[in-house]
C-alpha cells in the first residue's frame, strides 16, 4: 500500500511498524473500533489442543490489542467476548470462559490503571457467575475515573434483545406520559441503547474469515466500515490492527451521501 508522506508516495511495506504507526497517527484514527473475536476454537484444533486453549490464547490477544489500541489513540475498543447464543456451548467450556475475566483483570488491571484505561461492559451481566460479576464490577469501579481508552466488553450481549429492551422502555415512557409518539425517532432509540454514551463504531473487525454480524450492535453499525480477515483471533497482532486502521483511513466515508 502507498501513502503520501511529505508530498512523496511511500510504500508502507518498506517502513517499520513504528514508522507506520507514526504515519497512521497523522491521519484520523477511528474513535471507536469494535471487534468480533472469532477463530479461537479453530486455532486450538489446528494445534491438536483443547478449545479452551484457544480461548486462553485469545484472552492474551485482548491484552495485546488493548495496549496497541491505547498507543494508537483509539478512544473506544468494544470486544464481543460472550454472546447470548454462547450459552449453548458445553458447560465445561462456559465455566472456563467465565473464569477468563477474573484472570484477565487480576493480571492486567494494574497496567490498565497505568495506561488510564477504563473498563466498561454492554450486555446483561445478571446471568454471569458471581465470581465473574465480582471481577467485572471491581474493575469498572477501580477504573471509572480513568479518561483514556474505554475497553468495552460485550458480555451476554445480543443486539436484538438490546433493541427490544430499548423499545419496551420507550413504550413504557409513552404509557407513563414521559414520552410522546412524536418524541420516538432514531435519536431517541439510540439514546435508549446500552451504547448511548459511546460514539458509534467507526470500524468493525471480524477475524477467522467469518463474514456476518452475529447479532452484534446491529443498530450501531449502520455507517460503520467493516474489515474482515482470515487471521484467527489468537494470531491477531498489532500489525493486523494497524493494517485495518490504515485500510480504514484509505476509505472516504459517505454516511449515505455522495
Ligand atoms: C466471559 C467471556 C470472555 C471470553 C474471553 N475470551 C474468549 C472468547 C473470545 C476471545 C477472547 C478470550 N475473554 N477474554 C477477555 C475477557 C474479559 C471479559 C471481561 C473482562 F472484564 C475482562 C476480560 C473474556 N471474557
Amino acid at each position: 500500500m502507498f501513502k503520501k508522506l511529505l508530498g512523496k508516495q511511500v510504500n508502507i511495506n518498506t517502513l517499520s511498524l513504528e514508522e507506520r504507526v507514526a504515519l497512521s497517527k497523522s491521519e484520523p484514527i477511528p474513535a471507536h473500533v469494535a471487534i468480533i473475536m472469532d477463530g479461537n476454537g479453530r486455532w486450538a484444533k489446528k494445534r491438536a489442543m483443547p478449545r479452551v486453549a484457544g480461548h486462553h490464547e485469545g484472552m492474551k490477544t485482548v491484552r495485546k490489542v488493548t495496549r496497541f489500541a491505547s498507543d494508537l489513540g483509539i478512544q473506544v475498543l468494544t470486544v464481543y467476548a460472550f454472546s447470548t447464543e454462547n450459552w449453548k456451548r458445553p458447560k465445561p467450556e462456559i465455566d472456563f470462559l467465565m473464569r477468563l475475566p477474573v484472570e484477565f483483570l487480576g493480571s492486567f488491571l494494574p497496567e490498565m490503571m497505568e495506561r488510564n484505561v477504563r473498563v466498561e461492559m454492554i450486555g446483561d451481566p445478571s446471568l454471569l457467575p458471581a465470581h465473574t460479576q465480582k471481577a467485572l464490577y471491581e474493575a469498572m469501579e477501580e477504573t471509572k475515573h480513568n479518561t483514556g481508552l474505554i475497553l468495552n466488553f460485550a458480555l451476554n450481549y445480543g443486539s436484538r434483545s438490546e433493541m427490544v429492551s430499548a423499545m419496551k422502555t420507550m413504550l413504557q415512557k409513552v404509557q407513563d406520559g414521559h414520552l410522546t409518539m412524536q418524541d420516538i425517532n432514531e435519536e431517541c432509540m439510540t439514546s435508549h441503547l446500552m451504547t448511548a454514551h459511546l460514539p458509534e463504531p467507526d470500524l468493525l473487525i471480524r477475524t477467522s474469515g467469518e463474514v456476518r454480524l452475529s447479532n452484534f450492535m446491529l443498530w450501531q453499525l449502520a455507517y460503520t466500515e467493516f474489515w474482515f480477515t482470515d487471521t484467527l483471533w489468537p494470531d491477531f497482532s498489532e500489525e493486523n490492527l494497524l493494517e485495518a486502521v490504515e485500510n480504514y483511513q484509505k476509505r472516504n466515508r459517505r454516511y449515505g451521501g455522495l
Side-chain angles (χ1 to χ4, degrees):
M1 183 201 303
F2 283 81
K3 286 187 102 170
K4 243 197 180 36
L5 180 63
L6 303 175
K8 282 176 30 182
Q9 286 290 338
V10 176
N11 178 352
I12 61 168
N13 299 323
T14 63
L15 302 178
S16 69
L17 188 73
E18 291 68 24
E19 289 166 326
R20 285 172 57 187
V21 167
L23 199 53
S24 225
K25 290 171 88 167
S26 66
E27 295 186 47
I29 293 287
H32 185 169
V33 176
I35 305 181
I36 303 177
M37 308 180 286
D38 244 331
N40 304 282
R42 213 178 308 167
W43 181 89
K45 190 173 179 186
K46 269 172 65 174
R47 291 159 177 76
M49 296 163 82
R51 284 175 55 82
V52 293
H55 295 323
H56 194 264
E57 194 63 26
M59 179 193 70
K60 294 178 191 171
T61 302
V62 175
R63 199 161 29 209
K64 178 175 57 178
V65 167
T66 299
R67 287 187 185 112
F68 194 60
S70 169
D71 292 343
L72 272 182
I74 290 168
Q75 295 167 33
V76 184
L77 177 65
T78 296
V79 289
Y80 202 4
F82 196 84
S83 74
T84 46
E85 289 76 27
N86 286 150
W87 294 111
K88 299 169 192 160
R89 294 213 178 145
K91 185 177 182 319
E93 184 173 341
I94 291 177
D95 292 346
F96 181 90
L97 288 168
M98 291 300 153
R99 285 194 296 273
L100 289 179
V102 181
E103 179 177 351
F104 181 96
L105 297 169
S107 61
F108 195 41
L109 194 52
E111 184 177 340
M112 287 198 285
M113 288 304 288
E114 281 167 32
R115 287 174 169 273
N116 196 21
V117 170
R118 183 155 85 239
V119 174
E120 293 192 2
M121 70 153 293
I122 55 173
D124 175 4
S126 64
L127 295 182
L128 303 177
H131 59 276
T132 310
Q133 291 191 43
K134 180 174 181 288
L136 200 54
Y137 287 120
E138 284 173 358
M140 291 195 287
E141 180 62 26
E142 183 164 347
T143 63
K144 69 182 179 183
H145 296 305
N146 291 352
T147 57
L149 172 79
I150 293 174
L151 179 53
N152 182 41
F153 290 98
L155 289 170
N156 191 25
Y157 173 83
S159 181
R160 287 184 172 179
S161 54
E162 176 193 25
M163 289 196 274
V164 168
S165 172
M167 284 183 265
K168 280 182 173 176
T169 303
M170 290 188 289
L171 283 169
Q172 190 60 58
K173 287 182 179 177
V174 170
Q175 273 181 4
D176 298 345
H178 296 144
L179 274 180
T180 67
M181 284 304 287
Q182 286 65 40
D183 294 324
I184 308 290
N185 56 26
E186 289 185 18
E187 187 188 342
C188 186
M189 176 69 174
T190 297
S191 70
H192 283 81
L193 296 175
M194 297 170 184
T195 52
H197 63 297
L198 299 173
E200 296 189 344
D202 299 290
L203 174 61
L204 170 76
I205 296 169
R206 182 162 190 164
T207 57
S208 93
E210 303 298 345
V211 183
R212 53 180 184 271
L213 292 179
S214 301
N215 196 18
F216 184 58
M217 299 180 89
L218 303 177
W219 176 276
Q220 299 88 332
L221 294 172
Y223 294 101
T224 301
E225 297 289 339
F226 291 0
W227 193 75
F228 297 101
T229 174
D230 290 336
T231 304
L232 303 178
W233 177 249
D235 293 325
F236 194 81
S237 64
E238 292 89 346
E239 161 89 23
N240 293 123
L241 179 55
L242 185 57
E243 190 186 345
V245 169
E246 286 167 341
N247 184 277
Y248 166 85
Q249 291 173 329
K250 275 184 11 177
R251 304 187 195 177
N252 55 326
R253 300 175 68 192
R254 297 177 182 75
Y255 293 92
L258 288 176

